[in-house]
Short mmCIF file of all heavy atoms in Angstrom, two decimals:
data_model
loop_
_atom_site.label_atom_id
_atom_site.label_comp_id
_atom_site.label_asym_id
_atom_site.label_seq_id
_atom_site.Cartn_x
_atom_site.Cartn_y
_atom_site.Cartn_z
N LEU G 77 -5.95 8.15 -19.69
CA LEU G 77 -6.47 7.75 -18.39
C LEU G 77 -6.82 6.26 -18.33
O LEU G 77 -7.39 5.71 -19.26
CB LEU G 77 -7.72 8.58 -18.08
CG LEU G 77 -8.39 8.38 -16.73
CD1 LEU G 77 -8.87 9.73 -16.15
CD2 LEU G 77 -9.58 7.43 -16.83
N ASN G 79 -8.88 3.60 -15.78
CA ASN G 79 -9.63 3.43 -14.52
C ASN G 79 -9.90 1.95 -14.25
O ASN G 79 -8.91 1.19 -14.25
CB ASN G 79 -10.83 4.39 -14.37
CG ASN G 79 -11.87 4.36 -15.43
OD1 ASN G 79 -11.58 4.51 -16.61
ND2 ASN G 79 -13.10 4.18 -15.04
N ASP G 80 -11.09 1.55 -14.00
CA ASP G 80 -11.35 0.23 -13.42
C ASP G 80 -10.64 -0.94 -14.11
O ASP G 80 -10.60 -1.00 -15.34
CB ASP G 80 -12.85 -0.11 -13.51
CG ASP G 80 -13.75 1.01 -13.08
OD1 ASP G 80 -13.25 2.05 -12.63
OD2 ASP G 80 -14.96 0.85 -13.21
N ASN G 82 -10.95 -4.59 -15.49
CA ASN G 82 -12.10 -5.32 -16.05
C ASN G 82 -11.64 -6.73 -16.44
O ASN G 82 -10.47 -6.93 -16.80
CB ASN G 82 -12.61 -4.64 -17.33
CG ASN G 82 -13.21 -3.25 -17.10
OD1 ASN G 82 -13.20 -2.42 -17.99
ND2 ASN G 82 -13.72 -2.99 -15.92
N GLN G 96 -10.28 -0.07 -18.04
CA GLN G 96 -10.99 1.04 -18.66
C GLN G 96 -9.95 2.03 -19.15
O GLN G 96 -9.13 2.51 -18.35
CB GLN G 96 -11.89 1.72 -17.63
CG GLN G 96 -13.14 0.95 -17.28
CD GLN G 96 -14.17 1.08 -18.38
OE1 GLN G 96 -14.81 2.11 -18.51
NE2 GLN G 96 -14.33 0.04 -19.18
N SER G 97 -10.01 2.33 -20.43
CA SER G 97 -8.97 3.17 -21.00
C SER G 97 -9.55 4.33 -21.81
O SER G 97 -10.49 4.14 -22.59
CB SER G 97 -8.10 2.28 -21.91
OG SER G 97 -7.43 3.03 -22.89
N HIS G 104 -11.88 11.60 -18.25
CA HIS G 104 -12.83 10.51 -18.51
C HIS G 104 -13.53 10.76 -19.84
O HIS G 104 -14.58 11.38 -19.90
CB HIS G 104 -13.82 10.39 -17.35
CG HIS G 104 -13.19 9.84 -16.12
ND1 HIS G 104 -13.12 8.49 -15.86
CD2 HIS G 104 -12.55 10.45 -15.10
CE1 HIS G 104 -12.49 8.29 -14.71
NE2 HIS G 104 -12.13 9.47 -14.23
N GLY G 105 -12.91 10.32 -20.91
CA GLY G 105 -13.51 10.43 -22.24
C GLY G 105 -14.18 9.13 -22.60
O GLY G 105 -14.52 8.32 -21.73
N LYS G 107 -14.68 5.52 -23.30
CA LYS G 107 -13.83 4.42 -22.80
C LYS G 107 -13.82 3.19 -23.68
O LYS G 107 -14.81 2.89 -24.35
CB LYS G 107 -14.31 3.99 -21.40
CG LYS G 107 -14.29 5.09 -20.36
CD LYS G 107 -12.91 5.39 -19.86
CE LYS G 107 -12.85 6.61 -18.96
NZ LYS G 107 -13.58 6.50 -17.71
N VAL G 138 -17.32 1.86 -23.70
CA VAL G 138 -17.33 0.44 -23.34
C VAL G 138 -17.00 0.44 -21.85
O VAL G 138 -15.85 0.57 -21.46
CB VAL G 138 -16.26 -0.32 -24.15
CG1 VAL G 138 -16.15 -1.77 -23.70
CG2 VAL G 138 -16.59 -0.24 -25.65
N TYR G 139 -18.05 0.37 -21.04
CA TYR G 139 -17.86 0.51 -19.60
C TYR G 139 -17.50 -0.82 -18.94
O TYR G 139 -17.37 -1.84 -19.60
CB TYR G 139 -19.11 1.14 -18.98
CG TYR G 139 -19.15 2.65 -19.08
CD1 TYR G 139 -18.21 3.34 -19.85
CD2 TYR G 139 -20.10 3.40 -18.42
CE1 TYR G 139 -18.22 4.73 -19.94
CE2 TYR G 139 -20.13 4.79 -18.50
CZ TYR G 139 -19.19 5.45 -19.26
OH TYR G 139 -19.21 6.82 -19.33
N SER G 140 -17.40 -0.79 -17.62
CA SER G 140 -16.80 -1.91 -16.89
C SER G 140 -17.59 -3.20 -16.95
O SER G 140 -18.81 -3.20 -17.14
CB SER G 140 -16.60 -1.51 -15.43
OG SER G 140 -15.52 -0.63 -15.37
N GLY G 141 -16.86 -4.29 -16.72
CA GLY G 141 -17.48 -5.61 -16.69
C GLY G 141 -16.45 -6.66 -16.36
O GLY G 141 -15.34 -6.36 -15.92
N THR G 155 -20.81 -3.08 -19.88
CA THR G 155 -21.91 -2.12 -20.09
C THR G 155 -21.60 -1.25 -21.28
O THR G 155 -20.50 -0.69 -21.39
CB THR G 155 -22.10 -1.24 -18.83
OG1 THR G 155 -22.41 -2.10 -17.74
CG2 THR G 155 -23.23 -0.24 -19.03
N ARG G 200 -25.00 -0.53 -14.37
CA ARG G 200 -23.77 -0.91 -15.07
C ARG G 200 -22.87 -1.86 -14.28
O ARG G 200 -23.12 -2.13 -13.12
CB ARG G 200 -22.97 0.34 -15.44
CG ARG G 200 -22.63 1.26 -14.30
CD ARG G 200 -21.85 2.49 -14.80
NE ARG G 200 -21.69 3.46 -13.75
CZ ARG G 200 -22.52 4.47 -13.52
NH1 ARG G 200 -23.57 4.66 -14.29
NH2 ARG G 200 -22.31 5.31 -12.52
N ASP G 201 -21.81 -2.29 -14.96
CA ASP G 201 -20.72 -3.08 -14.39
C ASP G 201 -21.13 -4.52 -14.08
O ASP G 201 -21.03 -4.99 -12.93
CB ASP G 201 -20.13 -2.41 -13.12
CG ASP G 201 -19.84 -0.93 -13.34
OD1 ASP G 201 -19.62 -0.54 -14.50
OD2 ASP G 201 -19.86 -0.16 -12.36
N PRO G 202 -21.60 -5.27 -15.09
CA PRO G 202 -22.05 -6.64 -14.85
C PRO G 202 -20.90 -7.56 -14.43
O PRO G 202 -19.83 -7.53 -15.02
CB PRO G 202 -22.59 -7.07 -16.23
CG PRO G 202 -21.86 -6.22 -17.22
CD PRO G 202 -21.65 -4.90 -16.53
N MET G 253 -25.99 5.35 -5.57
CA MET G 253 -25.66 4.46 -6.69
C MET G 253 -24.61 3.47 -6.23
O MET G 253 -23.71 3.83 -5.46
CB MET G 253 -25.10 5.30 -7.85
CG MET G 253 -24.45 4.53 -8.99
SD MET G 253 -25.66 3.54 -9.90
CE MET G 253 -24.63 2.57 -10.97
N ILE G 254 -24.71 2.23 -6.68
CA ILE G 254 -23.64 1.27 -6.41
C ILE G 254 -22.95 0.95 -7.73
O ILE G 254 -23.60 0.59 -8.71
CB ILE G 254 -24.19 -0.02 -5.76
CG1 ILE G 254 -24.61 0.28 -4.31
CG2 ILE G 254 -23.15 -1.14 -5.79
CD1 ILE G 254 -25.13 -0.92 -3.53
N GLU G 255 -21.62 1.09 -7.74
CA GLU G 255 -20.83 0.73 -8.91
C GLU G 255 -20.03 -0.54 -8.61
O GLU G 255 -19.71 -0.83 -7.45
CB GLU G 255 -19.85 1.86 -9.27
CG GLU G 255 -20.55 3.14 -9.67
CD GLU G 255 -19.58 4.18 -10.26
OE1 GLU G 255 -18.51 4.42 -9.65
OE2 GLU G 255 -19.89 4.75 -11.31
N CYS G 256 -19.68 -1.24 -9.66
CA CYS G 256 -18.73 -2.36 -9.60
C CYS G 256 -19.00 -3.40 -8.50
O CYS G 256 -18.12 -3.68 -7.68
CB CYS G 256 -17.30 -1.82 -9.45
SG CYS G 256 -16.85 -0.67 -10.74
N CYS G 271 -18.84 -0.53 -4.66
CA CYS G 271 -18.53 0.89 -4.50
C CYS G 271 -19.81 1.70 -4.37
O CYS G 271 -20.42 2.06 -5.40
CB CYS G 271 -17.73 1.39 -5.69
SG CYS G 271 -16.16 0.56 -5.93
N GLN G 273 -21.80 4.99 -3.93
CA GLN G 273 -21.52 6.43 -4.08
C GLN G 273 -22.51 7.22 -3.24
O GLN G 273 -23.71 6.94 -3.27
CB GLN G 273 -21.65 6.83 -5.54
CG GLN G 273 -20.63 6.13 -6.41
CD GLN G 273 -20.60 6.70 -7.82
OE1 GLN G 273 -21.63 6.78 -8.48
NE2 GLN G 273 -19.43 7.09 -8.28
N TYR G 319 -10.33 1.90 -5.59
CA TYR G 319 -11.71 1.89 -6.09
C TYR G 319 -11.88 0.75 -7.08
O TYR G 319 -10.90 0.24 -7.64
CB TYR G 319 -11.99 3.23 -6.78
CG TYR G 319 -13.46 3.56 -6.90
CD1 TYR G 319 -14.21 3.93 -5.77
CD2 TYR G 319 -14.12 3.51 -8.12
CE1 TYR G 319 -15.55 4.23 -5.87
CE2 TYR G 319 -15.48 3.81 -8.23
CZ TYR G 319 -16.19 4.18 -7.10
OH TYR G 319 -17.52 4.48 -7.19
N ALA G 320 -13.13 0.37 -7.29
CA ALA G 320 -13.52 -0.55 -8.38
C ALA G 320 -12.78 -1.89 -8.36
O ALA G 320 -12.45 -2.44 -9.41
CB ALA G 320 -13.32 0.15 -9.74
N TRP G 336 -8.45 -0.52 -9.07
CA TRP G 336 -8.05 0.76 -9.66
C TRP G 336 -7.44 1.57 -8.52
O TRP G 336 -8.02 1.66 -7.43
CB TRP G 336 -9.29 1.46 -10.22
CG TRP G 336 -9.02 2.87 -10.74
CD1 TRP G 336 -7.85 3.35 -11.22
CD2 TRP G 336 -9.97 3.94 -10.82
NE1 TRP G 336 -8.01 4.67 -11.61
CE2 TRP G 336 -9.29 5.05 -11.38
CE3 TRP G 336 -11.32 4.08 -10.49
CZ2 TRP G 336 -9.93 6.27 -11.61
CZ3 TRP G 336 -11.95 5.29 -10.72
CH2 TRP G 336 -11.26 6.38 -11.27
N LEU G 339 -9.29 7.70 -8.06
CA LEU G 339 -10.69 7.87 -7.67
C LEU G 339 -11.41 8.74 -8.68
O LEU G 339 -10.79 9.61 -9.31
CB LEU G 339 -10.78 8.53 -6.29
CG LEU G 339 -10.38 7.67 -5.09
CD1 LEU G 339 -10.42 8.50 -3.82
CD2 LEU G 339 -11.28 6.45 -4.96
N PRO G 340 -12.71 8.54 -8.81
CA PRO G 340 -13.48 9.39 -9.72
C PRO G 340 -13.46 10.85 -9.23
O PRO G 340 -13.39 11.09 -8.02
CB PRO G 340 -14.90 8.83 -9.63
CG PRO G 340 -14.82 7.53 -8.93
CD PRO G 340 -13.55 7.55 -8.12
C1 FRU E 612 -16.32 3.20 -11.90
C2 FRU E 612 -17.06 3.49 -13.19
C3 FRU E 612 -17.99 2.36 -13.56
C4 FRU E 612 -18.13 2.53 -15.04
C5 FRU E 612 -16.72 2.97 -15.44
C6 FRU E 612 -16.68 3.91 -16.60
O1 FRU E 612 -15.12 3.88 -11.80
O2 FRU E 612 -17.76 4.70 -13.08
O3 FRU E 612 -19.22 2.37 -12.88
O4 FRU E 612 -18.50 1.35 -15.69
O5 FRU E 612 -16.18 3.58 -14.30
O6 FRU E 612 -15.34 4.15 -16.97
#
Side-chain angles (χ1 to χ4, degrees):
L77 183 141
N79 58 305
D80 313 356
N82 294 153
Q96 285 283 284
S97 157
H104 288 271
K107 301 284 172 64
V138 174
Y139 277 9
S140 286
T155 300
R200 55 181 172 268
D201 312 334
M253 168 67 189
I254 288 182
E255 296 190 312
C256 304
C271 299
Q273 297 190 307
Y319 201 72
W336 175 27
L339 288 176

